[in-house]
Amino acid sequence: MAQNEKLAELSEAGVAVWLDDISRDRIRSGNLQSLVDEHSVVGVTTNPTIFAAAISGSDSYDDQLHALAVRRVSVEEALRTITAADVRDACDLLAPVAEASPGDGRVSLEVAPGLANDTDATAAEAGHLWWLVDRPNLYIKIPATEAGLPAITESIANGISVNVTLIFSLERYRAVMDAYLSGLEKRVANGGSLEGIASVASFFVSRVDTEIDKRLDKSGADASLKGKAGIANAQLAYQAYEEVFSSDRWQALEAQGAARQRPLWASTGVKNPEYSDTMYISELIAPGTVNTMPEKTMMAYADHGSAGTPVQKAYDDAAAVIQSVRDAGVDLDDVFRVLEQEGVQKFVDSWDELTESVRTELEDKA
């Protein structure tokens, strides 16, 4: 089958198309393979919310749940085993992509979100999940909380590829890039090889607009400012990426075989029906980026997407948008703080929901 033309053009412009979803049914039915074959999909991201929907909505997990129940495995261990199995199968399916394009063909698995404020536990869990899935084309997702940053450095130093998640502000994004470079430097200092180590930094987009739009409404600001800050914030993140990954510090690592940590645009499903359903794709086209999309958003772009202003030509306008939002009285530092707390809490809630549903299933299957 031929690739969808619009998504193929996106790939040619340097944007890796990833699917923000996974389920056993999607893997077994051939749906994921068909997205690779026909929609340019070269990676998969998961999170606790996605797994909660997959496991509660399907009987494909029944046999495994029964086997875990009769062995009286703890709920936490059962959860790890079930999610690792799906991620391992998706890694195997995407292995040919990973061979052809290192850094892509990857599947992301998140550390338990309840550990987001515990550096040691996050690093330990990252190591355990890396061992459990045991595939070179895996990414371990670690949140960009203050406690998460040293765990990112530690994991990279241990040769674990990391998808850093829940990045909202430029300031935190710079700290994430620093954590990655520090991890590579530490690995080199310990005599380790940088071969095969990859990383992406997941910069969230639509949630920024949702929070800022709410505050703009409250302050009675000019309505034309709405729906612009998320993209502008991400465009400025790419400017910061260009700066860091052309620095002397980076070039020294690149000479030793290091791969760039690519910016990944996350939360790209459009929440406000008044906005174009493809804006978080068309306005964020830049070389060396990843865009992970819910299937609905991907299909919308495949149907009627078109390229907007290239990110590298948008920096001045983006800076002006952010300044206007500040001038309208929006406290951006507070916005980013709230978004990070909410982001962690949403995943904790999903994880708790997932834990409860697996507990019930284990009791039913025992």
Side-chain angles (χ1 to χ4, degrees):
M1 288 289 290
Q3 293 283 5
N4 171 276
E5 201 176 307
K6 291 181 185 298
L7 291 167
E9 280 169 7
L10 197 61
S11 302
E12 277 156 32
V15 181
V17 176
W18 288 11
L19 173 70
D20 192 23
D21 192 48
I22 198 172
S23 70
R24 199 157 289 185
D25 293 342
R26 203 185 262 289
I27 296 166
R28 287 182 177 172
S29 67
N31 168 271
L32 181 56
Q33 185 64 56
S34 77
L35 290 174
V36 172
D37 296 340
E38 297 162 32
H39 287 83
S40 300
V41 169
V42 292
V44 170
T45 47
T46 71
N47 62 45
T49 309
I50 284 168
F51 274 119
I55 294 169
S56 61
S58 166
D59 52 14
S60 295
Y61 296 90
D62 289 0
D63 291 348
Q64 190 178 20
L65 281 160
H66 174 72
L68 291 163
V70 296
R71 286 172 49 221
R72 295 195 171 84
V73 167
S74 74
V75 179
E76 287 75 16
E77 212 46 51
L79 251 179
R80 283 197 190 95
T81 305
I82 292 163
T83 54
D86 280 359
V87 168
R88 193 181 300 122
D89 287 347
C91 281
D92 289 345
L93 187 153
L94 287 165
V97 176
E99 286 279 307
S101 170
D104 286 321
R106 299 248 174 177
V107 186
S108 299
L109 177 61
E110 188 147 353
V111 295
L115 308 174
N117 296 312
D118 184 331
T119 300
D120 291 348
T122 295
E125 172 91 345
H128 179 67
L129 293 175
W130 183 257
W131 167 84
L132 184 62
V133 174
D134 193 26
R135 293 294 184 272
N137 54 329
L138 172 69
Y139 276 124
I140 300 295
K141 270 178 117 170
I142 297 177
T145 53
E146 282 182 18
L149 294 169
I152 292 158
T153 295
E154 190 62 26
S155 300
I156 294 291
N158 289 332
I160 294 169
S161 292
V162 176
N163 172 347
V164 183
T165 186
L166 293 174
I167 309 171
F168 296 98
S169 72
L170 288 179
E171 184 188 12
R172 186 57 55 88
Y173 177 44
R174 286 183 178 279
V176 165
M177 291 188 281
D178 179 70
Y180 176 60
L181 298 188
S182 299
L184 294 172
E185 286 162 348
K186 193 170 173 182
R187 186 160 176 83
V188 169
N190 294 341
S193 160
L194 300 183
E195 194 184 339
I197 299 176
S199 182
V200 289
S202 296
F203 203 87
F204 279 55
V205 192
S206 68
R207 290 188 194 180
V208 172
D209 276 335
T210 304
E211 183 63 27
I212 289 178
D213 285 359
K214 202 163 66 182
R215 296 185 186 213
L216 288 169
D217 278 341
K218 215 173 192 174
S219 69
D222 183 347
S224 69
L225 273 177
K226 289 169 66 175
K228 292 192 173 157
I231 288 167
N233 194 42
Q235 288 165 333
L236 295 175
Y238 191 79
Q239 186 178 29
Y241 157 79
E242 286 194 308
E243 185 190 308
V244 170
F245 287 94
S246 58
S247 66
D248 293 346
R249 182 185 179 193
W250 165 248
Q251 282 165 353
L253 285 162
E254 194 172 36
Q256 296 176 79
R260 286 166 180 246
Q261 180 187 55
R262 289 181 295 170
L264 178 152
W265 313 125
S267 155
T268 57
V270 176
K271 309 276 196 286
N272 187 331
E274 290 170 24
Y275 300 157
S276 155
D277 56 0
T278 58
M279 69 186 221
Y280 298 127
I281 301 171
S282 57
E283 297 302 326
L284 292 175
I285 297 175
T289 57
V290 178
N291 196 314
T292 188
M293 316 170 191
E295 188 174 20
K296 186 179 165 193
T297 306
M298 186 182 294
M299 293 310 164
Y301 195 87
D303 178 62
H304 54 263
S306 60
T309 307
V311 169
Q312 289 149 307
K313 295 203 168 119
Y315 298 149
D316 291 347
D317 288 348
V321 166
I322 296 297
Q323 191 53 53
S324 301
V325 169
R326 284 189 194 276
D327 292 345
V330 175
D331 179 346
L332 288 179
D333 294 339
D334 186 62
V335 166
F336 298 137
R337 188 164 55 247
V338 165
L339 285 171
E340 182 181 295
Q341 285 167 354
E342 274 181 4
V344 170
Q345 193 55 51
K346 274 179 187 161
F347 285 160
V348 168
D349 292 345
S350 298
W351 190 259
D352 291 347
E353 184 191 316
L354 184 52
T355 305
E356 272 317 298
S357 89
V358 169
R359 179 178 284 118
T360 311
E361 294 270 355
L362 287 173
E363 284 162 5
D364 290 350
K365 304 277 187 295

